[in-house]
Amino acid sequence: MFVVVNGFRMHYQVYGPAKSRPLLFVHGFPLSGAVWSPLVEILKDEFRLIIPDLRGFGESELIESVQPGVIPAVSLEQYTDDLFVLLEEIGEDRPSVIIGLSMGGYIAFDFYRRYTSDVFAMVLADTRAAADPPERRIERYKTAQAVLTQGSAVVADAMVNKLFGPAAPRDLREQWHANIRSIRPESLAAALLAMAARPDSTELLERILCPTLVVVGEHDSITPVEEAKRMQRAILAAELAVIPYAGHMTPVEQPQLFAAALQGFLRAVG
Ligand code: MLT
């Protein structure tokens, strides 16, 4: 389904009983709502699932009309505001559970910071609270430039093996390599700059008062287990689920285990 949000066509999917609490699934970089697909069959009879593609990813437009080679200014706050408006536009603007994977976690922090009363609970999967250190920012600017001149394969090649743990089958890596290659270079570049400019959320952690589940793949090399433990300790009411045999792509690599952790948490928080 599509809806016009903040001037661009946003793609989203909705499943599950209309009256139940919305679960808003926010994907990471350089991914799409498809990372949550393996969970849909497991969760859709019990929960209301809202699965958007962030602007520029999956089937969502980046802006109404993209000029090749030009990076539109997109901030992390813009992705958040798109989601906020999406929920309003589709009549799902009740306090929801925000489930963010990696960059989706950065967006979840921003959502909580600015729309606190709209967040019933949070799931922070394979993410981190800290902002980028200067050298990482520079690396992101360089990658953004490279992707515009050489194409999206630059990001696909650099990231695909880092995204998965050692147990992930080759066809899964190949499938995601192809998915990443199909994203417009301008969308990748815009997201890289947005992540580089994101604020530090470390101070926010101790102000998070909603029930929170921190999830991490045991072999996550991008946002390692230690990072998740630090977040869990800093948040007042947080639980930790370490997903065995998974890397950074926990819902794709171990959907049954990810869904079981989510179900346990959601049933307990009501
Ligand atoms: C993600 O999975 O969203 C990214 O790897 C996060 C990042 O690059 O910081």
Side-chain angles (χ1 to χ4, degrees), residues 27-31 101-104 106 126 128 132 136 140 159 163 195 198 222 248:
H27 65 78
F29 173 90
L31 311 171
L101 175 71
S102 200
M103 181 177 80
Y106 310 157
D126 302 277
R128 59 158 48 87
D132 283 350
R136 180 82 179 110
R140 297 223 206 243
M159 280 200 74
L163 288 171
M195 286 192 287
R198 74 185 189 279
I222 297 179
H248 191 64

Side-chain angles (χ1 to χ4, degrees), residues 115-255:
Y115 302 116
T116 314
S117 59
D118 292 294
V119 181
F120 175 77
M122 277 200 293
V123 179
L124 301 168
D126 302 277
T127 191
R128 59 158 48 87
D132 283 350
E135 60 280 8
R136 180 82 179 110
R137 272 189 207 149
I138 292 166
E139 201 184 305
R140 297 223 206 243
Y141 296 140
K142 286 188 181 156
T143 310
Q145 287 307 327
V147 96
L148 288 186
T149 51
Q150 295 161 48
S152 302
V154 166
V155 170
D157 293 347
M159 280 200 74
V160 85
N161 284 326
K162 289 192 204 152
L163 288 171
F164 289 96
R170 195 184 162 143
D171 58 346
L172 203 55
R173 292 168 197 264
E174 286 174 354
Q175 182 198 324
W176 277 97
H177 192 274
N179 290 352
I180 299 169
R181 278 199 326 266
S182 73
I183 303 167
R184 294 188 78 114
E186 292 78 10
S187 301
L188 295 172
L192 284 162
L193 300 192
M195 286 192 287
R198 74 185 189 279
D200 195 297
S201 294
T202 311
E203 301 268 293
L204 179 72
L205 296 177
E206 61 187 40
R207 300 202 309 275
I208 295 177
L209 302 179
C210 67
T212 302
L213 174 66
V214 178
V215 180
V216 65
E218 83 170 309
H219 300 298
D220 187 338
S221 61
I222 297 179
T223 49
V225 173
E226 268 318 305
E227 194 76 49
K229 285 187 177 162
R230 269 199 295 276
M231 284 195 296
Q232 187 243 339
R233 282 195 297 265
I235 300 173
L236 186 69
E239 293 166 29
L240 177 70
V242 179
I243 307 293
Y245 314 114
H248 191 64
M249 297 279 272
T250 43
V252 169
E253 292 177 79
Q254 293 299 333

